[in-house]
Amino acid sequence: MTLIATSRERGIATLTLDSPANRNALSAALVGELREALADRAADDTVRAVVLTHTGSTFCAGADLTAPPDPEAFVGLMREIVALPKPVVARVTGHVRAGGLGLLAACDIAVAGEGSSFALTESRLGLAPAVISLTLLPRVDRTAANRYYLTGERFDAAEAARIGLVTVAAEDVEKGLAPVLDGLRRASPQGLAASKELVTATVLRSFDQYAEDLIARSAALFASDEAREGMTAFLERRDPAWVR
């Protein structure tokens, strides 16, 4: 069963996360399929840009705790989105949690509907937004990062736009996307690639400098007693032992 649905219209390739049974969580299989699909679009000269979207009410619920990807594979996915020589535009009409925010922040442009919501829930599980900081921290207002990294609170599309996580918060996502896609179709392939390279250079350098350390830090947290309690409590739909 494929987890990534594909389509194309006038030079725009759409990749749809299509694993509603686990709320499009980042399983090893989904990460692998998405990396392959992105590589195919990168090599296709007829594709001007990529739209990344989802089925169901959730864009991405974060890591699949029952079948998680290798951390290096997920970091590789985020880096490939950032480094792709074609713009990647996120179309979000649902909820985004934890690692899903790292996937979203890797995209060049993001348009979110008013029904979408966002939360960095790692601290509530005994974890931290370690590897996704590679894409989040260059994008998100630092004061907002301080708050949402620590509290795990939910916030809406308007707040996501205010803090820089998304580009446009739109009542109608298709209307919000229309001028973006029109602009991308009018741009030359060379112009898009060169322009994207300018704005992603610093982010790519941070991957090269910090990814290895953050992968190790993430692995250590996942292996800890607190994280085991946090993830077990989450799967059992109860508060972890530290909640007061």
Side-chain angles (χ1 to χ4, degrees):
M1 180 182 71
T2 182
L3 303 176
I4 306 295
T6 64
S7 63
R8 183 184 307 187
E9 181 181 2
R10 295 178 54 213
I12 305 296
T14 297
L15 303 179
T16 302
L17 306 181
D18 190 19
S19 183
N22 68 351
R23 301 189 303 150
N24 294 318
L26 295 162
S27 64
L30 186 143
V31 167
E33 284 192 29
L34 185 52
R35 293 183 76 178
E36 289 180 11
L38 287 166
D40 288 346
R41 274 66 192 174
D44 188 340
D45 291 339
T46 68
V47 172
R48 185 65 50 84
V50 176
V51 170
L52 182 63
T53 189
H54 61 101
T55 58
S57 61
T58 301
F59 174 79
C60 179
D64 184 341
L65 300 181
T66 63
D70 181 271
E72 291 187 4
F74 179 49
V75 169
L77 169 62
M78 291 191 296
R79 194 185 195 287
E80 286 158 14
I81 293 172
V82 175
L84 202 77
K86 301 172 184 185
V88 181
V89 180
R91 175 190 176 276
V92 181
T93 59
H95 310 301
V96 192
R97 298 289 183 268
L101 275 76
L103 184 65
L104 175 65
C107 298
D108 303 289
I109 299 170
V111 179
E114 60 182 1
S116 57
S117 71
F118 308 82
L120 289 158
T121 54
E122 287 88 345
S123 66
R124 298 186 179 193
L125 299 177
L127 302 169
V131 296
I132 64 174
S133 290
L134 291 164
T135 57
L136 277 171
L137 290 183
R139 188 174 188 122
V140 172
D141 172 83
R142 185 55 61 93
T143 301
N146 288 343
R147 175 177 180 174
Y148 295 121
Y149 266 48
L150 297 174
T151 67
E153 295 170 88
R154 283 184 293 176
F155 53 95
D156 62 13
E159 175 71 350
R162 185 192 72 80
I163 68 176
L165 177 62
V166 305
T167 315
V168 178
E171 290 185 15
D172 185 317
V173 171
E174 302 312 322
K175 287 183 179 180
L177 274 173
V180 172
L181 299 184
D182 180 64
L184 296 177
R185 288 184 171 112
R186 291 176 181 275
S188 81
Q190 175 178 281
L192 287 174
S195 297
K196 175 169 177 172
E197 187 175 8
L198 290 172
V199 296
T200 59
T202 301
V203 180
L204 290 173
R205 284 196 295 270
S206 75
F207 270 85
D208 296 337
Q209 186 172 358
Y210 300 118
E212 186 174 339
D213 175 67
L214 290 171
I215 288 170
R217 191 179 309 186
S218 178
L221 286 168
F222 267 93
S224 69
D225 291 340
E226 279 195 18
R228 279 193 289 272
E229 165 61 11
M231 290 185 284
T232 300
F234 174 78
L235 293 171
E236 294 177 352
R237 299 180 180 272
R238 61 171 175 83
D239 285 337
W242 58 75
V243 173
R244 296 290 181 264

